[in-house]
Structure formats: C-alpha cells, structure tokens
Amino acid sequence: MAQKKESLSVSQLDELHTAGAGYDVLRYISLPEILGKESNTLLYFMGRNLARKLDIKAIEDIYYIFDKLGWGNLELIKEKRKELVFHLMADAVVQRLNASFETEFRLEAGFLAEAIQMINERECECVEAINHKIHQIEFTVIYTE
C-alpha cells in the first residue's frame, strides 16, 4: 500500500537548528565519496526531490528556504520568456568557495529547478556557473517546454 505524500510547510523549517559545519562535512566530503562518479547528477535530483517535499507556493518561499537552509541569499536578476537568472551570494557561499575541499551547487540547482517548476507549472532545468572572483553563483533556470 502506497503512503500518502505529505508536504512540509515552509514554516516548519524554523524548527531546524544547526551550526552548519556538520552539514558541510556530510555534503562535500562524505556524500561525494559515497555517490562516486554520479555525485553531481544524484545531488541535482536530491535537490529536486527535496523541493517536492516542501509546500512551495511563491518565489518568496524559495528565497526563505535558501536562507533558512544556509545556502545563501538568492535573488532573481533577470526574467526572460524562456529563462530566469538568479544570483546567490552570502558569507556562507564565500566560505564554501574558499574551502580546501571541492564544492559544488548541484543540490541547490536541482532544488531551484523543481521549485520554479512547481510555482510556474512549466518544466524546467537549472544550470549553475561559479564566479570565483566575486564569490557569486549564477543559476539559470531554463524552461524546457
């Protein structure tokens, strides 16, 4: 018998408390080792799956979630007919980019793709580009339909 899918309200994230270092160790050291060569692809789909678990109704919910999860401050920079461009900046992003281990933003890209798809009801994918000079991540959400 299948279980009923239950969404978490965005406000339930207020119940989470963490300093962040444990998360970073799991995310950037343990998970890539366990996931192997497919790590980036699996993290992207983990992000998409996470978005499906939350009751996301508006773009402001996405901003709140990024901030609450310690991913950084997300901002919509450009809106075109077939794509949206977001920038992610924060002290946490700077620290991740300056870390001695390899960092990536595939989980966030997958989450953003699914969240935008849920809000706009249009299929989409997301790619990210890292600007190391200004410690900024650019996410481009591309509508695929």
Side-chain angles (χ1 to χ4, degrees):
M1 187 159 108
Q3 287 184 336
K4 182 183 173 203
K5 181 184 168 195
E6 194 173 314
S7 300
L8 297 172
S9 89
V10 173
S11 64
Q12 285 179 290
L13 293 176
D14 287 331
E15 298 171 14
L16 301 174
H17 303 283
T18 182
Y23 167 82
D24 288 344
V25 167
L26 289 172
R27 167 83 184 273
Y28 298 112
I29 298 171
S30 296
L31 269 179
E33 188 173 306
I34 291 169
L35 299 175
K37 290 186 281 186
E38 300 302 320
S39 179
N40 284 343
T41 301
L42 292 171
L43 286 167
Y44 182 83
F45 285 102
M46 285 172 65
R48 289 192 80 116
N49 188 55
L50 176 60
R52 288 185 208 109
K53 304 247 184 246
L54 295 167
D55 187 26
I56 300 170
K57 303 259 190 255
I59 201 158
E60 290 76 19
D61 292 337
I62 300 171
Y63 297 155
Y64 176 80
I65 292 165
F66 265 70
D67 182 56
K68 189 65 183 169
L69 294 180
W71 290 348
N73 302 315
L74 187 69
E75 182 180 358
L76 177 61
I77 300 300
K78 207 180 305 180
E79 190 168 358
K80 296 180 181 177
R81 191 172 63 82
K82 291 206 170 232
E83 71 179 32
L84 302 172
V85 178
F86 293 87
H87 285 171
L88 180 68
M89 295 179 76
D91 290 342
V93 172
V94 173
Q95 290 174 337
R96 287 166 63 184
L97 291 174
N98 288 333
S100 60
F101 46 85
E102 187 176 335
T103 58
E104 44 61 37
F105 295 84
R106 297 302 296 154
L107 183 76
E108 293 88 339
F111 182 92
L112 186 56
E114 189 66 30
I116 293 297
Q117 186 169 312
M118 290 165 58
I119 292 168
N120 293 337
E121 297 178 348
R122 291 177 67 188
E123 288 190 31
C124 58
E125 296 295 332
C126 182
V127 295
E128 75 279 0
I130 300 172
N131 184 329
H132 288 278
K133 282 187 177 183
I134 60 172
H135 299 100
Q136 175 182 281
I137 313 306
E138 181 172 283
F139 294 105
T140 304
V141 176
I142 303 161
Y143 295 111
T144 57
E145 59 176 30

